[in-house]
Coordinates of all heavy atoms in Angstrom, one line a residue:
L5 N -76.6 -223.7 -7.8 CA -77.3 -222.9 -8.7 C -76.8 -223.0 -10.2 O -77.4 -222.4 -11.1 CB -77.3 -221.4 -8.3 CG -77.9 -221.1 -7.0 CD1 -77.8 -219.6 -6.7 CD2 -79.3 -221.6 -6.9
G22 N -86.6 -215.5 -6.3 CA -87.5 -215.9 -7.5 C -88.9 -215.5 -7.3 O -89.6 -215.2 -8.3
G36 N -104.4 -206.9 -13.7 CA -104.3 -206.1 -14.9 C -105.5 -206.4 -15.8 O -106.1 -205.5 -16.4
A37 N -105.9 -207.6 -15.9 CA -107.0 -208.0 -16.8 C -108.3 -207.5 -16.2 O -109.2 -207.3 -17.0 CB -107.0 -209.6 -16.9
R41 N -112.7 -203.4 -15.8 CA -114.0 -203.8 -15.2 C -114.2 -203.2 -13.8 O -115.3 -202.8 -13.4 CB -114.1 -205.3 -15.2 CG -115.5 -205.8 -14.9 CD -115.6 -207.3 -14.9 NE -115.4 -207.8 -16.2 CZ -116.3 -208.0 -17.1 NH1 -117.5 -207.6 -16.8 NH2 -116.1 -208.4 -18.3
L72 N -91.2 -204.7 -1.4 CA -90.9 -206.1 -1.2 C -89.4 -206.4 -1.6 O -88.7 -207.1 -0.9 CB -91.8 -207.0 -1.9 CG -93.3 -207.0 -1.5 CD1 -94.1 -207.9 -2.4 CD2 -93.3 -207.5 0.0
V83 N -77.0 -212.2 3.9 CA -76.7 -213.6 3.6 C -75.7 -213.9 2.5 O -74.8 -214.7 2.6 CB -78.1 -214.3 3.3 CG1 -77.8 -215.8 2.9 CG2 -79.0 -214.3 4.5
F95 N -82.2 -202.6 -14.7 CA -82.5 -203.0 -16.0 C -83.8 -203.9 -16.1 O -84.7 -203.7 -16.8 CB -81.3 -203.7 -16.6 CG -81.6 -204.5 -17.9 CD1 -81.8 -203.8 -19.1 CD2 -81.8 -205.9 -17.9 CE1 -82.1 -204.5 -20.3 CE2 -82.1 -206.6 -19.1 CZ -82.2 -205.9 -20.3
V126 N -107.2 -216.2 -14.8 CA -107.0 -216.6 -13.4 C -106.8 -218.1 -13.2 O -105.9 -218.5 -12.4 CB -108.2 -216.1 -12.6 CG1 -108.1 -216.6 -11.1 CG2 -108.4 -214.6 -12.6
F133 N -97.2 -220.8 -12.9 CA -96.3 -220.7 -11.8 C -95.2 -221.9 -11.9 O -94.0 -221.6 -11.7 CB -97.0 -220.8 -10.5 CG -96.1 -220.9 -9.2 CD1 -95.7 -219.8 -8.6 CD2 -95.8 -222.1 -8.7 CE1 -94.9 -219.8 -7.5 CE2 -95.0 -222.2 -7.6 CZ -94.5 -221.1 -7.0
S136 N -92.4 -221.5 -14.6 CA -91.6 -220.3 -14.6 C -90.3 -220.3 -13.8 O -89.8 -219.2 -13.6 CB -92.6 -219.2 -14.1 OG -93.7 -219.1 -14.8
D141 N -84.1 -224.5 -10.7 CA -83.2 -223.8 -11.5 C -83.4 -224.2 -13.0 O -83.1 -225.3 -13.4 CB -81.8 -224.2 -11.1 CG -80.7 -223.6 -12.0 OD1 -81.0 -222.6 -12.7 OD2 -79.6 -224.1 -12.0
R166 N -82.3 -213.4 -10.2 CA -81.3 -214.2 -9.5 C -79.9 -213.9 -10.1 O -78.9 -214.0 -9.4 CB -81.6 -215.7 -9.8 CG -82.8 -216.2 -8.9 CD -83.1 -217.6 -9.1 NE -84.2 -218.0 -8.3 CZ -85.2 -218.8 -8.6 NH1 -85.2 -219.4 -9.8 NH2 -86.2 -219.1 -7.8
F169 N -79.0 -210.8 -7.9 CA -78.8 -210.9 -6.5 C -78.1 -212.2 -6.0 O -77.6 -212.2 -4.9 CB -80.1 -210.8 -5.8 CG -80.8 -209.5 -6.0 CD1 -82.0 -209.4 -6.8 CD2 -80.3 -208.3 -5.6 CE1 -82.6 -208.2 -7.0 CE2 -80.9 -207.1 -5.8 CZ -82.1 -207.0 -6.6
F176 N -76.2 -209.7 -20.3 CA -75.8 -210.0 -21.7 C -75.1 -211.3 -21.9 O -74.7 -211.7 -23.0 CB -75.0 -208.9 -22.3 CG -73.8 -208.5 -21.5 CD1 -72.6 -209.2 -21.5 CD2 -73.9 -207.3 -20.7 CE1 -71.5 -208.8 -20.7 CE2 -72.8 -206.9 -19.9 CZ -71.7 -207.7 -19.9
N199 N -104.7 -203.9 -30.0 CA -106.0 -204.2 -29.3 C -106.5 -203.0 -28.6 O -107.8 -202.8 -28.6 CB -105.7 -205.3 -28.3 CG -105.8 -206.7 -29.0 OD1 -106.5 -206.9 -30.0 ND2 -105.0 -207.6 -28.5
D209 N -119.7 -198.5 -23.9 CA -120.9 -199.2 -24.2 C -121.0 -200.6 -23.6 O -122.0 -201.1 -23.1 CB -121.1 -199.3 -25.7 CG -121.3 -197.9 -26.4 OD1 -121.8 -197.0 -25.7 OD2 -120.9 -197.8 -27.5

Side-chain angles (χ1 to χ4, degrees):
L5 299 183
R41 189 180 294 276
L72 293 176
V83 174
F95 167 76
V126 174
F133 175 86
S136 301
D141 176 20
R166 288 181 178 143
F169 300 112
F176 50 80
N199 278 329
D209 297 329

